[in-house]
Amino acid sequence: MTGSSTDRTPGAGPDGATPAPEGQRKTVLVTGATGYIGGRLVPRLLEAGHTVKVLVRSPGKIAGVPWRNRVEVVESSLDDGDALRKALAGVDVFYYLVHSMAAGAGFEAKEKAMARTAAEAAAAAGVHRIVYLGGLHPKGVQLSTHMRSREAVGQVFLDSPVDSIVFQAGVVIGSGSASFEMIRHLSETLPLMPAPSWVRNRIEAIAVRDVLYYLVAAAALTGPVNRTFDIGCRQVLTYAGMMKEYSAEAGLPYRVVLALPVPAPKLAGMWVALTTPIPLSMSVPLVQSLQHDAVSDEHDIDRYIPQPEGGLTPYRTAVALALGKERDGQVETTWANAGADSDPLPSDPDWAGHKVYIDERTFHGDVDPDRVWQVIEGIGGRNGWYSLPLAWQVRGWLDKLTGGAGLLRGRRHPHTLATGEVVDWWRVERIDRGSLLRLRAEMRAPGRAWLELAVEPDGGGSRYRQRAIFFPKGLSGRLYWLAVLPFHSVIFPAMARNITAAARELADAERPAGTP
């Protein structure tokens, strides 16, 4: 038992907290449902028979998820204590799965204050248990800002009047996780990798399926439980060893990792941001969290929650499962889809009084609109942007160099999209399936930008419409638009033609042999 354990009654332990009888249902509230873990937890809680409520700031971000109509959606933020208290009315278990990758002065204080608001609201509403997912870390060392903040948030819950379970996990391995993407891209990009000394640190990873297993099981525990639990796969590797194991599983040549005698977390974070899809705002805190060993100090969880059937998932098996999910297009959630909210595109009449630049293209073709839509919805990622790939790649690298998203984020599924999902440096702001896709830019630029792709029937064929919309910010924004105009004059007409041509190829490929 760790030093953060504060059981409420003398002798509380496995005898006082046993799994609830099969079929017992609870009402749960999940925060972070638009995030990587929360988005996967919700359907599993539903499968377990629980009644699920989710608290989100922007309900539109979950409009396209399969479980949307099976949950109660509360639109609010964790800063609003009154709204949170109302949302928690009648709730048995409160899942707090929120942790920002923001930085700057006051970051830790804000995270801690938000946790206090949540704990007070839970106590006032009579919630029976809070479940929080924190980070695995050693004791008695100076932690990074983000790891220290996670520890502090967990302690807020443990000190509250509500029984709390704080799981502490290390590197989470699963399709679409930030940790997995970081390992994957570093391993695939660099056959010989000079690396800081922390690549020799000992790491205990955990498969995302096992994290979800423990989170779901926590709802069924009865009796007083108020403590931390270290969770992991029970297999300890160095970070360099994790990259080598990944390379072996992915069929890559043997990777050589040279550990240099310097920690250099910020420099390493910048290198990770350039060579992986992870933006600088996330790569630095991720790298900083690797400055120390991350290995379980105890395995007490086994006395409360039995291991999943077949045992915990070994690291290499977790890698194989993640690669298989990505290969088969079955990625449920990704780290990138948990992005920050942004102002939507105003409707056209609202543009009055604002400076706005528009590049609009239309293209008429004899292709069925459904085939054109199939190409539109599959745009980006490995499918590309249907015009001058080199130009897109150069712009992507320039964006990466300035701390932006770049083109490496790809997309969750090769053929289908939902509101809020990422497509390279864009995010889906609106999708009217079969007719309109609106993408909001998350690249670095002096202004706000959108790209609209639309199709409608036109006689016996289709009319494809494409709009690039830019709201400049000051003089720099206007100069930026003038600078990119020559590229737009080449890229956008080609894009319109090539999307229609790709739709025609799809139609030809699906036409039965011998049909004219």
Side-chain angles (χ1 to χ4, degrees):
M1 190 172 293
T2 68
S4 295
S5 169
T6 53
D7 289 322
R8 299 242 180 252
T9 58
D15 293 335
T18 56
E22 186 177 353
Q24 182 175 336
R25 298 181 179 183
K26 297 185 182 297
T27 298
V28 305
L29 176 71
V30 178
T31 61
T34 59
Y36 179 73
I37 295 292
R40 297 186 180 213
L41 177 63
V42 169
R44 286 159 178 80
L45 289 169
L46 291 168
E47 290 170 9
H50 300 300
T51 299
V52 180
K53 301 164 71 174
V54 298
L55 186 140
V56 294
R57 287 179 299 177
S58 303
K61 292 182 70 174
I62 60 170
V65 299
W67 43 264
R68 169 61 183 83
N69 294 328
R70 300 174 61 195
V71 303
E72 179 184 343
V73 178
V74 180
E75 182 177 0
S76 184
S77 73
L78 290 170
D79 296 322
D80 189 339
D82 292 336
L84 184 55
R85 188 159 50 250
K86 292 177 183 177
L88 287 167
V91 167
D92 301 303
V93 182
F94 176 26
Y95 285 92
Y96 191 91
L97 301 175
V98 176
H99 179 73
S100 172
M101 279 292 181
F107 162 72
E108 290 181 83
K110 181 179 179 181
E111 292 271 289
K112 197 170 182 179
M114 197 161 60
R116 283 201 186 103
T117 298
E120 290 168 2
V127 171
H128 300 156
R129 172 169 296 138
I130 297 173
V131 181
Y132 174 66
L133 180 62
L136 193 60
H137 59 274
K139 307 297 186 291
V141 300
Q142 184 175 355
L143 300 173
S144 69
T145 302
H146 284 266
M147 193 60 70
R148 189 169 63 238
S149 178
R150 289 194 175 195
E151 183 185 40
V153 167
Q155 196 60 48
V156 166
F157 294 137
L158 294 170
D159 292 341
S160 76
V162 183
D163 279 355
S164 299
I165 293 177
V166 176
F167 290 117
Q168 298 182 151
V171 173
V172 176
I173 301 299
S175 56
S177 79
S179 296
F180 177 72
E181 289 300 313
M182 185 167 149
I183 292 169
R184 181 163 74 97
H185 279 80
L186 287 175
S187 302
E188 293 183 353
T189 306
L190 304 169
L192 174 63
M193 179 182 173
S197 57
W198 52 258
V199 296
R200 294 191 297 240
N201 289 347
R202 299 164 66 243
I203 306 290
E204 183 179 350
I206 185 169
V208 65
R209 59 173 51 198
D210 291 341
V211 173
L212 296 168
Y213 169 80
Y214 283 126
L215 288 171
V216 172
L221 287 178
T222 58
V225 185
N226 192 72
R227 57 160 297 171
T228 62
F229 288 105
D230 291 354
I231 56 174
C233 69
R234 314 290 167 86
Q235 178 188 8
V236 179
L237 297 168
T238 64
Y239 200 82
M242 293 172 70
M243 289 192 286
K244 291 175 182 177
E245 288 286 306
Y246 171 88
S247 300
E249 184 60 42
L252 301 174
Y254 183 79
R255 269 24 187 177
V256 177
V257 182
L258 302 177
L260 304 178
V262 288
K266 289 187 178 179
L267 183 61
M270 294 174 64
W271 176 246
V272 167
L274 287 174
T275 55
T276 78
I278 313 298
L280 188 63
S281 60
M282 285 184 65
S283 64
V284 171
L286 278 174
V287 167
Q288 287 177 336
S289 69
L290 298 172
Q291 300 305 302
H292 304 286
D293 291 345
V295 179
S296 296
D297 283 341
E298 43 81 15
H299 301 147
D300 294 354
I301 191 63
D302 290 346
R303 297 189 292 153
Y304 292 78
I305 300 173
Q307 292 187 13
E309 185 176 354
L312 294 163
T313 310
Y315 170 74
R316 187 157 167 176
T317 302
V319 168
L321 290 168
L323 289 172
K325 291 286 188 182
E326 291 192 347
R327 182 177 57 250
D328 298 337
Q330 296 180 358
V331 180
E332 292 181 65
T333 59
T334 72
W335 65 270
N337 287 342
D341 296 328
S342 182
D343 294 334
L345 174 67
S347 58
D348 290 17
D350 294 335
W351 292 353
H354 295 275
K355 183 63 179 176
V356 58
Y357 294 108
I358 302 174
D359 185 301
E360 185 165 1
R361 313 281 172 169
T362 59
F363 196 88
H364 298 267
D366 57 357
V367 191
D368 186 277
D370 289 343
R371 295 293 169 267
V372 178
W373 176 256
Q374 193 174 342
V375 177
I376 290 174
E377 192 171 3
I379 201 164
R382 295 180 180 177
N383 297 326
W385 292 89
Y386 297 95
S387 62
L388 296 180
L390 180 59
W392 284 89
Q393 290 172 12
V394 169
R395 182 62 180 88
W397 280 112
L398 289 174
D399 193 49
K400 268 288 185 182
L401 288 169
T402 57
L407 290 175
L408 295 177
R409 295 191 302 183
R411 44 183 290 156
R412 180 189 63 84
H413 191 281
H415 306 301
T416 62
L417 291 172
T419 303
E421 288 192 342
V422 156
V423 183
D424 294 332
W425 64 45
W426 307 91
R427 188 174 298 272
V428 179
E429 182 174 280
R430 176 179 171 184
I431 181 168
D432 299 334
R433 189 154 277 106
S435 60
L436 173 70
L437 174 64
R438 179 185 296 157
L439 303 172
R440 184 181 71 241
E442 293 186 345
M443 70 184 84
R444 291 296 180 97
R448 296 184 294 154
W450 291 264
L451 179 64
E452 281 188 348
L453 311 177
V455 64
E456 60 185 20
D458 183 24
S462 59
R463 178 176 180 264
Y464 169 80
R465 182 170 64 91
Q466 174 183 296
R467 290 201 304 174
I469 304 160
F470 185 67
F471 281 52
K473 183 178 180 180
L475 178 62
S476 61
R478 301 180 186 216
L479 294 175
Y480 171 82
W481 180 261
L482 291 174
V484 298
L485 267 181
F487 300 98
H488 287 181
S489 65
V490 176
I491 290 173
F492 286 148
M495 190 173 170
R497 291 193 306 271
N498 292 340
I499 284 177
T500 305
R504 186 175 293 109
E505 290 178 7
L506 281 175
D508 291 343
E510 294 175 5
R511 185 177 294 117
T515 303

